[in-house]
Short mmCIF file of all heavy atoms in Angstrom, two decimals:
data_model
loop_
_atom_site.label_atom_id
_atom_site.label_comp_id
_atom_site.label_asym_id
_atom_site.label_seq_id
_atom_site.Cartn_x
_atom_site.Cartn_y
_atom_site.Cartn_z
N SER C 98 -9.18 9.95 -14.36
CA SER C 98 -10.19 8.90 -14.21
C SER C 98 -10.54 8.23 -15.53
O SER C 98 -11.07 7.12 -15.54
CB SER C 98 -11.44 9.46 -13.55
OG SER C 98 -11.96 10.53 -14.31
N GLU C 99 -10.25 8.87 -16.65
CA GLU C 99 -10.52 8.25 -17.95
C GLU C 99 -9.67 7.00 -18.17
O GLU C 99 -10.03 6.15 -18.97
CB GLU C 99 -10.27 9.25 -19.08
CG GLU C 99 -11.26 10.40 -19.07
CD GLU C 99 -10.92 11.46 -20.10
OE1 GLU C 99 -9.87 11.35 -20.78
OE2 GLU C 99 -11.70 12.41 -20.20
N ASN C 100 -8.55 6.90 -17.47
CA ASN C 100 -7.66 5.75 -17.61
C ASN C 100 -8.03 4.60 -16.68
O ASN C 100 -7.36 3.58 -16.66
CB ASN C 100 -6.21 6.15 -17.32
CG ASN C 100 -5.66 7.11 -18.34
OD1 ASN C 100 -6.40 7.71 -19.09
ND2 ASN C 100 -4.36 7.27 -18.36
N LEU C 101 -9.09 4.77 -15.89
CA LEU C 101 -9.48 3.75 -14.92
C LEU C 101 -10.45 2.75 -15.55
O LEU C 101 -11.48 3.13 -16.10
CB LEU C 101 -10.16 4.40 -13.70
CG LEU C 101 -10.65 3.43 -12.63
CD1 LEU C 101 -9.48 2.72 -11.98
CD2 LEU C 101 -11.46 4.19 -11.59
N GLU C 102 -10.08 1.50 -15.48
CA GLU C 102 -10.96 0.41 -15.92
C GLU C 102 -11.48 -0.26 -14.66
O GLU C 102 -10.72 -0.86 -13.90
CB GLU C 102 -10.14 -0.59 -16.75
CG GLU C 102 -10.94 -1.70 -17.34
CD GLU C 102 -10.06 -2.61 -18.19
OE1 GLU C 102 -9.27 -2.08 -18.99
OE2 GLU C 102 -10.17 -3.83 -18.01
N GLU C 103 -12.76 -0.12 -14.39
CA GLU C 103 -13.33 -0.62 -13.14
C GLU C 103 -13.37 -2.14 -13.11
O GLU C 103 -13.47 -2.80 -14.14
CB GLU C 103 -14.73 -0.04 -12.93
CG GLU C 103 -14.69 1.45 -12.69
CD GLU C 103 -16.04 2.00 -12.31
OE1 GLU C 103 -16.96 1.22 -12.02
OE2 GLU C 103 -16.17 3.23 -12.32
N THR C 104 -13.30 -2.67 -11.88
CA THR C 104 -13.40 -4.12 -11.69
C THR C 104 -14.85 -4.51 -11.51
O THR C 104 -15.73 -3.66 -11.45
CB THR C 104 -12.60 -4.57 -10.44
OG1 THR C 104 -13.21 -3.98 -9.29
CG2 THR C 104 -11.15 -4.18 -10.53
N ASN C 105 -15.09 -5.81 -11.39
CA ASN C 105 -16.45 -6.31 -11.22
C ASN C 105 -16.93 -6.22 -9.77
O ASN C 105 -18.02 -6.65 -9.45
CB ASN C 105 -16.56 -7.75 -11.72
CG ASN C 105 -15.59 -8.68 -11.01
OD1 ASN C 105 -14.98 -8.30 -10.02
ND2 ASN C 105 -15.44 -9.88 -11.53
N GLY C 106 -16.10 -5.68 -8.90
CA GLY C 106 -16.49 -5.47 -7.51
C GLY C 106 -16.30 -6.68 -6.61
O GLY C 106 -16.68 -6.64 -5.45
N GLU C 107 -15.71 -7.76 -7.12
CA GLU C 107 -15.50 -8.96 -6.29
C GLU C 107 -14.52 -8.71 -5.15
O GLU C 107 -14.65 -9.28 -4.09
CB GLU C 107 -15.00 -10.13 -7.14
CG GLU C 107 -16.07 -10.70 -8.04
CD GLU C 107 -15.55 -11.84 -8.89
OE1 GLU C 107 -14.47 -12.38 -8.60
OE2 GLU C 107 -16.22 -12.18 -9.87
N ASP C 108 -13.53 -7.88 -5.39
CA ASP C 108 -12.53 -7.58 -4.36
C ASP C 108 -12.77 -6.17 -3.87
O ASP C 108 -12.56 -5.21 -4.60
CB ASP C 108 -11.12 -7.73 -4.93
CG ASP C 108 -10.04 -7.62 -3.88
OD1 ASP C 108 -10.30 -7.03 -2.81
OD2 ASP C 108 -8.94 -8.12 -4.11
N GLU C 109 -13.20 -6.04 -2.63
CA GLU C 109 -13.53 -4.72 -2.10
C GLU C 109 -12.32 -3.81 -1.95
O GLU C 109 -12.46 -2.60 -1.81
CB GLU C 109 -14.25 -4.84 -0.77
CG GLU C 109 -13.39 -5.40 0.34
CD GLU C 109 -14.14 -5.56 1.65
OE1 GLU C 109 -15.35 -5.74 1.62
OE2 GLU C 109 -13.47 -5.50 2.69
N LEU C 110 -11.11 -4.36 -1.97
CA LEU C 110 -9.92 -3.54 -1.81
C LEU C 110 -9.46 -2.89 -3.11
O LEU C 110 -8.70 -1.93 -3.10
CB LEU C 110 -8.77 -4.37 -1.24
CG LEU C 110 -8.96 -4.92 0.17
CD1 LEU C 110 -7.76 -5.75 0.58
CD2 LEU C 110 -9.22 -3.82 1.16
N ILE C 111 -9.89 -3.41 -4.25
CA ILE C 111 -9.42 -2.92 -5.54
C ILE C 111 -10.55 -2.23 -6.27
O ILE C 111 -11.60 -2.81 -6.53
CB ILE C 111 -8.88 -4.07 -6.41
CG1 ILE C 111 -7.78 -4.85 -5.67
CG2 ILE C 111 -8.38 -3.56 -7.75
CD1 ILE C 111 -6.59 -4.03 -5.28
N LEU C 112 -10.35 -0.96 -6.61
CA LEU C 112 -11.35 -0.20 -7.34
C LEU C 112 -11.28 -0.50 -8.83
O LEU C 112 -12.29 -0.64 -9.50
CB LEU C 112 -11.15 1.30 -7.09
CG LEU C 112 -12.09 2.23 -7.83
CD1 LEU C 112 -13.52 2.02 -7.35
CD2 LEU C 112 -11.69 3.67 -7.62
N GLY C 113 -10.07 -0.60 -9.35
CA GLY C 113 -9.93 -0.83 -10.79
C GLY C 113 -8.47 -0.84 -11.20
O GLY C 113 -7.58 -0.89 -10.36
N PHE C 114 -8.26 -0.81 -12.51
CA PHE C 114 -6.93 -0.87 -13.08
C PHE C 114 -6.68 0.38 -13.89
O PHE C 114 -7.52 0.80 -14.69
CB PHE C 114 -6.81 -2.09 -14.01
CG PHE C 114 -7.02 -3.39 -13.31
CD1 PHE C 114 -8.28 -3.96 -13.21
CD2 PHE C 114 -5.96 -4.06 -12.73
CE1 PHE C 114 -8.48 -5.16 -12.55
CE2 PHE C 114 -6.14 -5.26 -12.07
CZ PHE C 114 -7.41 -5.80 -11.99
N TYR C 115 -5.52 0.99 -13.68
CA TYR C 115 -5.11 2.11 -14.49
C TYR C 115 -4.19 1.61 -15.58
O TYR C 115 -3.31 0.79 -15.34
CB TYR C 115 -4.34 3.15 -13.66
CG TYR C 115 -5.23 4.13 -12.94
CD1 TYR C 115 -5.31 4.12 -11.56
CD2 TYR C 115 -5.96 5.06 -13.65
CE1 TYR C 115 -6.10 5.05 -10.90
CE2 TYR C 115 -6.76 5.98 -13.00
CZ TYR C 115 -6.82 5.96 -11.62
OH TYR C 115 -7.61 6.86 -10.97
N LYS C 116 -4.38 2.13 -16.79
CA LYS C 116 -3.47 1.83 -17.88
C LYS C 116 -2.53 3.02 -18.02
O LYS C 116 -2.96 4.16 -18.03
CB LYS C 116 -4.24 1.61 -19.18
CG LYS C 116 -5.13 0.39 -19.13
CD LYS C 116 -5.88 0.22 -20.41
CE LYS C 116 -6.80 -0.97 -20.29
NZ LYS C 116 -7.59 -1.16 -21.50
N THR C 117 -1.24 2.73 -18.12
CA THR C 117 -0.25 3.80 -18.24
C THR C 117 0.47 3.68 -19.57
O THR C 117 0.37 2.68 -20.27
CB THR C 117 0.77 3.73 -17.09
OG1 THR C 117 1.42 2.48 -17.13
CG2 THR C 117 0.09 3.91 -15.74
N ASP C 118 1.23 4.72 -19.91
CA ASP C 118 1.93 4.75 -21.19
C ASP C 118 2.92 3.61 -21.35
O ASP C 118 3.11 3.10 -22.45
CB ASP C 118 2.69 6.08 -21.34
CG ASP C 118 1.72 7.25 -21.47
OD1 ASP C 118 0.56 7.01 -21.85
OD2 ASP C 118 2.12 8.37 -21.16
N ASP C 119 3.57 3.20 -20.26
CA ASP C 119 4.56 2.13 -20.38
C ASP C 119 3.91 0.74 -20.26
O ASP C 119 4.59 -0.25 -20.06
CB ASP C 119 5.70 2.30 -19.38
CG ASP C 119 5.23 2.22 -17.93
OD1 ASP C 119 4.02 2.04 -17.70
OD2 ASP C 119 6.08 2.32 -17.04
N LYS C 120 2.60 0.68 -20.39
CA LYS C 120 1.83 -0.56 -20.42
C LYS C 120 1.85 -1.33 -19.11
O LYS C 120 1.46 -2.47 -19.06
CB LYS C 120 2.28 -1.45 -21.58
CG LYS C 120 2.07 -0.80 -22.93
CD LYS C 120 2.45 -1.74 -24.05
CE LYS C 120 2.08 -1.17 -25.37
NZ LYS C 120 2.85 -0.14 -25.91
N LYS C 121 2.30 -0.71 -18.04
CA LYS C 121 2.25 -1.33 -16.73
C LYS C 121 0.84 -1.14 -16.20
O LYS C 121 0.33 -0.02 -16.19
CB LYS C 121 3.24 -0.59 -15.82
CG LYS C 121 3.85 -1.43 -14.75
CD LYS C 121 4.62 -0.57 -13.77
CE LYS C 121 5.77 0.18 -14.39
NZ LYS C 121 6.53 0.97 -13.42
N ASN C 122 0.18 -2.18 -15.80
CA ASN C 122 -1.13 -2.01 -15.18
C ASN C 122 -0.94 -1.79 -13.70
O ASN C 122 -0.25 -2.53 -13.04
CB ASN C 122 -2.01 -3.24 -15.40
CG ASN C 122 -2.61 -3.27 -16.78
OD1 ASN C 122 -2.75 -2.25 -17.42
ND2 ASN C 122 -2.95 -4.45 -17.25
N ILE C 123 -1.56 -0.76 -13.19
CA ILE C 123 -1.44 -0.42 -11.78
C ILE C 123 -2.80 -0.64 -11.14
O ILE C 123 -3.80 -0.08 -11.56
CB ILE C 123 -1.00 1.04 -11.61
CG1 ILE C 123 0.36 1.24 -12.25
CG2 ILE C 123 -0.99 1.41 -10.13
CD1 ILE C 123 0.75 2.67 -12.41
N LEU C 124 -2.80 -1.48 -10.14
CA LEU C 124 -4.04 -1.72 -9.40
C LEU C 124 -4.23 -0.57 -8.43
O LEU C 124 -3.31 -0.22 -7.70
CB LEU C 124 -3.92 -3.03 -8.63
CG LEU C 124 -3.71 -4.27 -9.49
CD1 LEU C 124 -3.11 -5.38 -8.64
CD2 LEU C 124 -5.00 -4.71 -10.11
N ARG C 125 -5.41 -0.01 -8.42
CA ARG C 125 -5.67 1.10 -7.49
C ARG C 125 -6.38 0.59 -6.25
O ARG C 125 -7.39 -0.08 -6.33
CB ARG C 125 -6.53 2.16 -8.16
CG ARG C 125 -6.77 3.32 -7.24
CD ARG C 125 -7.42 4.46 -8.00
NE ARG C 125 -7.66 5.55 -7.08
CZ ARG C 125 -8.83 6.12 -6.94
NH1 ARG C 125 -9.85 5.71 -7.64
NH2 ARG C 125 -8.98 7.11 -6.09
N TYR C 126 -5.84 0.92 -5.13
CA TYR C 126 -6.40 0.55 -3.84
C TYR C 126 -7.58 1.47 -3.55
O TYR C 126 -7.44 2.67 -3.59
CB TYR C 126 -5.30 0.74 -2.80
CG TYR C 126 -5.56 0.15 -1.46
CD1 TYR C 126 -5.42 -1.20 -1.23
CD2 TYR C 126 -5.90 0.97 -0.41
CE1 TYR C 126 -5.61 -1.72 0.03
CE2 TYR C 126 -6.09 0.45 0.86
CZ TYR C 126 -5.94 -0.89 1.07
OH TYR C 126 -6.12 -1.41 2.31
N SER C 127 -8.74 0.92 -3.29
CA SER C 127 -9.92 1.76 -3.19
C SER C 127 -10.28 2.20 -1.78
O SER C 127 -10.86 3.25 -1.60
CB SER C 127 -11.13 1.04 -3.79
OG SER C 127 -11.48 -0.08 -3.02
#
Side-chain angles (χ1 to χ4, degrees):
S98 58
E99 293 174 356
N100 294 16
L101 179 66
E102 184 178 314
E103 293 187 12
T104 64
N105 58 11
E107 288 179 16
D108 188 338
E109 67 182 28
L110 295 179
I111 305 300
L112 178 64
F114 299 90
Y115 275 113
K116 295 179 182 178
T117 59
D118 293 337
D119 63 359
K120 298 183 173 75
K121 210 189 299 182
N122 282 336
I123 298 167
L124 299 159
R125 181 170 179 233
Y126 192 77
S127 67

